[in-house]
Amino acid sequence: MGKRAAGILLPISSLPSDYGIGCFSKSAYEFVDWLKEAGQTYWQILPLGPTSYGDSPYQSFSTFAGNPYFIDLDTLVEEGVLDKKDCQKADDVDYEKIYKGRYPLLRKAYENSDISKNPDYQKFVAENSWWLSDYALFMAVKDRFEGVEWTKWAEDIR
């Protein structure tokens, strides 16, 4: 008989957070440590892709892109690319509010950073260009058309 193992299902979004939903923050690392201490072998999570209408993890814009909701805002504050007061707006479990608030915060963090000069970032972009360029273009056009489904875009864009 094979070795038995146990685990738990807990979505990343269910971790404790000051910003509406859980993310890959200190709480995630503490949870992993707790799982190990409790003798657990597995942590099952929900899909990690960016969510679309209804914020279902099973309805994503990409198989490869990560959900920006799971970026730890405290890490961005520690890096100096966001201020703590900027992040206070993102403190409810209201997915529409998170959607409208988190993206501008992440844009601000990007603009305040030098990440485009970071060798790890450049390597990631180069290694993932086979899907990343198309995804970025799709999301930019989707944003331009105020989030409506692509079948309702101007015919010459589809």
Side-chain angles (χ1 to χ4, degrees):
M1 187 148 90
K3 183 179 175 187
R4 297 183 76 178
I8 189 168
L9 167 63
L10 181 82
I12 301 297
S13 60
S14 294
L15 292 167
S17 172
D18 292 334
Y19 305 113
I21 64 169
C23 61
F24 290 110
S25 64
K26 183 179 177 185
S27 293
Y29 290 92
E30 290 171 349
F31 184 67
V32 169
D33 291 342
W34 177 84
L35 287 173
K36 184 176 180 180
E37 288 174 24
Q40 301 296 298
T41 306
Y42 301 105
W43 177 10
Q44 182 178 350
I45 58 175
L46 298 180
L48 298 174
T51 54
S52 61
Y53 182 77
D55 286 294
S56 170
Y58 300 104
Q59 185 177 358
S60 180
F61 293 124
S62 173
T63 301
F64 306 104
N67 191 327
Y69 295 172
F70 299 145
I71 296 172
D72 182 25
L73 296 178
D74 285 335
T75 298
L76 298 175
V77 170
E78 290 170 17
E79 290 177 8
V81 296
L82 288 178
D83 292 323
K84 187 76 171 169
K85 68 178 186 169
D86 291 329
C87 300
Q88 291 172 345
K89 301 171 193 160
D91 63 355
D92 277 339
V93 181
D94 178 338
Y95 283 98
E96 181 178 4
K97 184 176 179 182
I98 292 170
Y99 179 82
K100 290 179 179 177
R102 178 99 21 149
Y103 283 93
L105 279 174
L106 296 176
R107 168 60 65 186
K108 181 176 183 174
Y110 175 80
E111 291 170 356
N112 289 336
S113 75
D114 288 328
I115 192 72
S116 63
K117 297 175 186 172
N118 180 303
D120 290 334
Y121 174 84
Q122 292 172 348
K123 181 180 177 188
F124 174 84
V125 170
E127 290 177 352
N128 291 279
S129 64
W130 60 275
W131 68 267
L132 187 55
S133 298
D134 289 338
Y135 173 69
L137 177 61
F138 173 78
M139 293 306 291
V141 174
K142 186 167 183 63
D143 186 54
R144 166 63 177 83
F145 287 103
E146 300 177 351
V148 300
E149 63 190 71
W150 69 268
T151 59
K152 294 182 180 173
W153 297 353
E155 198 163 319
D156 62 330
I157 300 293
R158 287 187 248 155

